[in-house]
Amino acid sequence: MIKFFKSVAHEMYLVTWPTAKQNRHDTGTVITTSVLFALFLGVLDYLFSVLTQMFM
């Protein structure tokens, strides 16, 4: 078990962590993509609800 934790600690030391600027960019990309998908799915939901109301 100790060997495992030493291995994990060694691997964590080798990780290349993103900079604050990269983090902000990636976070902005995720938020923008999420909002665009939410809008797209909302429009589809609205269109399908209108279509089902018309034909029922």
Side-chain angles (χ1 to χ4, degrees), residues 33-51:
T33 303
S34 298
V35 168
L36 290 175
F37 270 107
L39 289 171
F40 175 70
L41 292 175
V43 168
L44 282 180
D45 181 51
Y46 175 75
L47 290 175
F48 285 131
S49 67
V50 168
L51 288 173

Side-chain angles (χ1 to χ4, degrees), residues 7-40:
S7 175
V8 169
H10 178 69
E11 288 297 322
M12 292 302 288
Y13 177 75
L14 298 177
V15 170
T16 303
W17 296 99
T19 63
K21 184 178 180 180
Q22 288 171 325
N23 262 345
R24 283 191 301 272
H25 178 267
D26 293 345
T27 301
T29 301
V30 168
I31 291 171
T32 302
T33 303
S34 298
V35 168
L36 290 175
F37 270 107
L39 289 171
F40 175 70

